[in-house]
Amino acid sequence: VELYYRTQTVTYGKENSLIAAETRYYINTANIAQIIEAYIGGPSKDHLRSPFPSGLEVKNLTVNSTSAEIIFSYQLAELSGIDLTIAGACLQKTIIALTGVKEVTISAENTLLNSQEKITIKDNGLILLDNEIVSLEDMVEEVEETFEFKV
């Protein structure tokens, strides 16, 4: 199973410069909750680090053929901005690799994430650039603003 983590050192212009995979072998990949619990515990490779806050727990996990929804403990709300985006991207890539779903929704138990109840990340919903992470919607808005035509 490919588990995605944040790299210890960010490099620019190279593959795996911000997020990289660690391969782990599981006899039973059907127990997704157990794999995710082990995953948020952090990587075993020195060049990777966990994007998640310490003490984070999975409170509920629901997976169907097209989506996964994970409710985490309140510690997830400790992340914001780029740190939350990177954690979401790592989790999304890991869940999609593990289950084949098309979108992942995350939330924190009894608290908001960046003023939102839930955050949904769709397959290929993030574009990882060399120096920043930009959602497709933000890129479309930026392009639309750049190319405003008046008749």
Side-chain angles (χ1 to χ4, degrees):
V1 176
E2 297 292 322
L3 306 178
Y4 291 84
Y5 292 100
R6 189 173 190 163
T7 57
Q8 279 288 8
T9 306
V10 176
T11 56
Y12 296 96
K14 295 181 180 176
E15 188 176 347
N16 301 324
S17 62
L18 181 62
I19 295 173
E22 171 180 283
T23 302
R24 291 194 196 162
Y25 299 95
Y26 292 94
I27 294 171
N28 180 9
T29 57
N31 192 340
I32 296 167
Q34 187 177 24
I35 293 172
I36 297 304
E37 283 287 344
Y39 164 64
I40 62 175
S44 61
K45 307 240 186 231
D46 290 339
H47 71 282
L48 302 173
R49 67 182 175 102
S50 177
F52 307 107
S54 62
L56 185 67
E57 298 175 6
V58 174
K59 294 297 186 176
N60 190 40
L61 171 65
T62 307
V63 179
N64 63 41
S65 62
T66 59
S67 65
E69 184 169 351
I70 306 172
I71 301 172
F72 288 100
S73 57
Y74 70 90
Q75 288 92 341
L76 187 63
E78 294 172 9
L79 300 176
S80 62
I82 192 70
D83 292 326
L84 181 59
T85 301
I86 293 169
C90 289
L91 184 64
Q92 177 249 14
K93 289 177 71 65
T94 297
I95 295 291
I96 287 173
L98 183 61
T99 64
V101 298
K102 299 296 179 200
E103 67 180 31
V104 177
T105 300
I106 59 172
S107 61
E109 188 175 56
N110 301 320
T111 190
L112 300 176
L113 298 174
N114 275 358
S115 304
Q116 299 176 57
E117 264 186 53
K118 298 178 179 183
I119 296 174
T120 299
I121 306 167
K122 297 185 181 207
D123 187 16
N124 296 321
L126 293 173
I127 295 178
L128 303 177
L129 302 176
D130 274 343
N131 58 356
E132 61 186 331
I133 295 180
V134 181
S135 74
L136 288 177
E137 288 123 8
D138 289 344
M139 286 185 68
V140 169
E141 287 174 13
E142 192 173 309
V143 168
E144 286 174 351
E145 289 173 8
T146 304
F147 295 105
E148 282 187 22
F149 296 102
K150 296 184 182 179
V151 182

